[in-house]
Amino acid sequence: MNKRWMSYALPAVLSISSVLSLAATACAATPAAFSDTRNHWSADAVKWAVGSGIVDGYEDGTFRPNQTVSEPEFLAMLLRAYPSSQLTSTSSGSPWYTPYYDYAKKMNWPLLGSPDRQSYNRGHVARLIAGTQQGTALSLNDSIRFLLDQGLSQGKSSATVQGYAAADPLSRAEAVQFIRNLKGSVSGLKAAQPTPGGTAPEASAAAVSVRGIAIGDSEASVLSKLGQPARKDASGYAGMQWYIYNGDYSRYVQVGISGGKVTGLYAPGGWTTNKGLTDGVSRTEIQNVYGQPLSYILKGNTRFMNNYGEGEYGTYEDAGAYVTFFYDVHQEGEVTGVLVIDRSTELALASFYPQGSDTLARAFERQSFDLANAARVRLGLQPFAWDEGAAGTARAHSADMAAKGYFDHTNPAGQSPFDRMEAAGLSYSSAAENIAAGQTSAIHAHHGWMNSAGHRKNLLSGITRLGVGVAFGGKMSVYYTQNFLTP
C-alpha cells in the first residue's frame, strides 16, 4: 500500500514573442576568400553553393556560416538550386520573397508561413524537404526519418530523430549543406498532394499538433483523420467534450471539441510543436526553447497562481493556446504528455476547479484508467483490465474523504484499503491503492502519481485489474482513488 500523496495543480502561461528580422546579402568575395569559412566544416558546401549561384557572401568578405536562416531565405536557396522552377514576378510593394512563397504554396509544400528568422528551425526544414520528395506532408518525426534514411542528413549529434535536433535554429552553413545533399540525390522537386481544404499544409501555425490535428481544426476533420471516438467524455470546460481515442494505447489521444471545433488536445506522444519539438525531448530542451513558465494565469482581475511542484510540469501560452508539458522526474525530465487548451476556453473557466458533477466524476475515472494504460503500453507493459468492483470501493472511499474531510488510506472507522475491498466481497491475491486530491483534472492527477515513486510502482506493477473512483467536494474539492487487484 502506498503512502498518501497530494499535490495542487493549476495551469499557467508564458507569452512567446519574436522579432521580425531579414537581411539581404551581397556578394563581395569569392568562396575561397571568405575569412570565416576557411577552416569551417561547411567550407566545401559553401564554395559549391556560392559557385552555383544559390547564395552569396557579405560585403565585408564574410559568409557568416553560423547566422540563422529564415524560411523565405531557405526557400530562395532551394529554388535557385532547381532553376527550372517557374517563379512569378514580384509586384510593386510586395516583399522580395513573395515569388518563392507563391511557388511553394502552389506545390502544396508544408510551410511555417513566417519570415521571422528566430522561428525557423531544422524541424521545419525536414518537413519541407520531405514534402518536396514524398508527394505529401509528413509528420515531423517521419520527415526526419526520411532525411536520415535517404542520407540527406546525418543528424546533429547522432543519426536519430532526437539526435537530429529539430528545435535548433537553421544556420546558413546547414542550409547550404542540406541543399547540396539534396542536389546530389535528386534531380527535381515534387508537388505534394493538396489537403482536403485545397491549401498547402501549414508546418506549424498552431502551437501543437497531435496526429495531424491542432486547435481550431473542425470536428469533421478530426473524424476524417481518426474516425469515431471510443466515447465522448465530459470535461471541466464549459461546452467542451473530450473525444477519447483509446483503441490503440500506444497512440492514445484526447481531442476536445466545442462548437464543432477543436479546443483541446492531450496526448502522451505523437505530438509536434510549432518550434520543432516532439515527444522524447526533455524539460531542459523545452525550457531552452520556451524559457521559464509563468507563475499564474490572469482571468479578469484574478490571478490563478500555479505550483509546479518539483518541476513536474510547465505551462506556456503560444499561438492562442495554453500548452502544458508534463515531465517524468524518473526519466531525466522526459516529456511524457502534452495538454493544449484554447486560450478563450481556458479563460472562460473562471474558477480554480471545474464545476463538479457525477458525469464529470465518471469521465475522470475512465480517463484515469486510460491514462494508466497508455503509460503502461508506452513502457512495454500489458494494459489493466477495468474492474467495476474495485471502482465501487474506490468511488466510495473518495466520497468518504470528501464528506468527512480527511485524506488517508485508512478511513475514520479504521478500515484499510484491503479491509474495504474484502467488505465489498472482492477477493484478490494482491492489491494496492493510490489516492490523490486537489488536482484539477484526471490528467494532472495521473502525471502526479507517475512522478511519485510509490504510486508509480503500483501503476507499473504486475497487478492485472484497476478500478478508479472520483468524488467532488470537501476541503480539497476533488478526490481520486485507484484500487488495484489481481484475483
Side-chain angles (χ1 to χ4, degrees):
M1 183 174 66
N2 285 331
K3 296 179 180 179
R4 67 182 185 179
W5 171 86
M6 63 193 302
S7 69
Y8 307 86
L10 177 67
V13 301
L14 176 64
S15 296
I16 306 296
S17 62
S18 55
V19 179
L20 182 66
S21 175
L22 286 172
T25 61
C27 184
T30 62
F34 291 138
S35 60
D36 53 355
T37 61
R38 293 191 184 101
N39 298 313
H40 196 271
W41 65 265
S42 66
D44 288 344
V46 169
K47 181 178 180 180
W48 169 83
V50 174
S52 301
I54 293 170
V55 68
D56 293 329
Y58 286 84
E59 293 178 348
D60 62 0
T62 64
F63 182 77
R64 304 179 194 175
N66 298 322
Q67 179 174 289
T68 56
V69 173
S70 68
E71 181 173 65
E73 288 170 338
F74 184 77
L75 273 175
M77 294 182 202
L78 178 64
L79 294 178
R80 288 173 192 149
Y82 292 89
S84 60
S85 306
Q86 298 297 312
L87 301 179
T88 60
S89 58
T90 304
S91 59
S92 177
S94 297
W96 67 266
Y97 48 78
T98 298
Y100 301 105
Y101 267 127
D102 286 346
Y103 186 82
K105 290 176 181 177
K106 182 178 72 173
M107 299 291 279
N108 294 303
W109 293 337
L111 300 171
L112 172 65
S114 169
D116 177 16
R117 182 176 286 136
Q118 302 304 315
S119 298
Y120 204 55
N121 59 37
R122 290 169 55 87
H124 297 130
V125 170
R127 292 202 71 216
L128 175 59
I129 292 177
T132 70
Q133 299 304 308
Q134 290 293 89
T136 187
L138 301 180
S139 69
L140 175 62
N141 282 1
D142 286 345
S143 297
I144 294 171
R145 292 187 187 100
F146 173 78
L147 264 61
L148 298 174
D149 291 345
Q150 298 300 313
L152 300 176
S153 173
Q154 299 299 315
K156 198 163 185 179
S157 61
S158 65
T160 63
V161 170
Q162 188 166 355
Y164 176 84
D168 286 3
L170 178 72
S171 70
R172 281 166 58 85
E174 290 170 331
V176 297
Q177 187 65 62
F178 273 124
I179 293 172
R180 188 186 191 192
N181 292 347
L182 188 64
K183 280 289 288 184
S185 178
V186 299
S187 59
L189 306 175
K190 299 177 182 178
Q193 291 297 316
T195 59
T199 58
E202 294 295 323
S204 55
V208 175
S209 64
V210 177
R211 293 172 62 180
I213 297 165
I215 297 295
D217 287 355
S218 68
E219 178 185 11
S221 175
V222 173
L223 296 177
S224 70
K225 292 176 181 178
L226 302 183
Q228 289 293 330
R231 65 176 189 275
K232 298 178 182 180
D233 282 355
S235 81
Y237 297 97
M240 189 180 92
Q241 281 188 307
W242 282 119
Y243 284 27
I244 307 297
Y245 291 90
N246 62 4
D248 177 355
Y249 278 122
S250 68
R251 292 167 58 81
Y252 180 77
V253 62
Q254 297 181 200
V255 182
I257 300 292
S258 177
K261 296 287 186 180
V262 176
T263 53
L265 286 168
Y266 171 82
W271 52 269
T272 302
T273 75
N274 59 4
K275 294 168 176 56
L277 298 173
T278 188
D279 52 315
V281 300
S282 68
R283 175 176 54 226
T284 299
E285 291 170 286
I286 293 292
Q287 292 179 347
N288 284 344
V289 173
Y290 287 88
Q292 293 296 318
L294 292 186
S295 57
Y296 63 88
I297 290 178
L298 183 64
K299 298 183 180 182
N301 295 321
T302 304
R303 289 185 176 185
F304 288 77
M305 306 305 295
N306 184 77
N307 177 2
Y308 293 122
E310 299 298 321
E312 296 174 10
Y313 68 99
T315 305
Y316 302 86
E317 183 181 9
D318 190 22
Y322 294 123
V323 183
T324 300
F325 298 100
F326 294 93
Y327 309 120
D328 189 333
V329 301
H330 300 285
Q331 297 290 334
E332 299 181 341
E334 179 182 349
V335 178
T336 52
V338 175
L339 173 66
V340 190
I341 300 295
D342 169 71
R343 185 175 187 273
S344 61
T345 300
E346 178 62 48
L347 295 182
L349 179 62
S351 60
F352 189 98
Y353 292 101
Q355 182 65 44
S357 68
D358 287 344
T359 300
L360 185 58
R362 301 297 85 77
F364 279 8
E365 291 170 2
R366 283 295 183 170
Q367 288 166 32
S368 179
F369 175 78
D370 284 334
L371 292 164
N373 281 339
R376 287 174 66 87
V377 169
R378 283 176 65 85
L379 293 172
L381 302 174
Q382 290 296 311
F384 291 118
W386 176 263
D387 192 292
E388 187 58 36
T393 62
R395 197 172 295 133
H397 187 56
S398 289
D400 195 52
M401 288 190 290
K404 297 177 181 176
Y406 71 97
F407 181 69
D408 206 311
H409 291 288
T410 302
N411 65 22
Q415 290 180 309
S416 71
F418 314 106
D419 295 330
R420 293 191 295 272
M421 290 184 198
E422 290 168 3
L426 300 178
S427 60
Y428 56 85
S429 59
S430 59
E433 179 177 88
N434 285 344
I435 59 174
Q439 292 77 15
T440 56
S441 71
I443 293 169
H444 284 84
H446 166 75
H447 284 283
W449 276 326
M450 287 296 289
N451 278 325
S452 170
H455 301 88
R456 181 189 184 93
K457 181 179 179 181
N458 287 340
L459 283 162
L460 303 181
S461 71
I463 294 178
T464 60
R465 303 181 70 82
L466 169 63
V468 186
V470 174
F472 287 95
K475 296 178 180 178
M476 300 302 296
S477 297
V478 57
Y479 293 79
Y480 304 81
T481 302
Q482 292 181 322
N483 281 164
F484 306 82
L485 63 86
T486 297

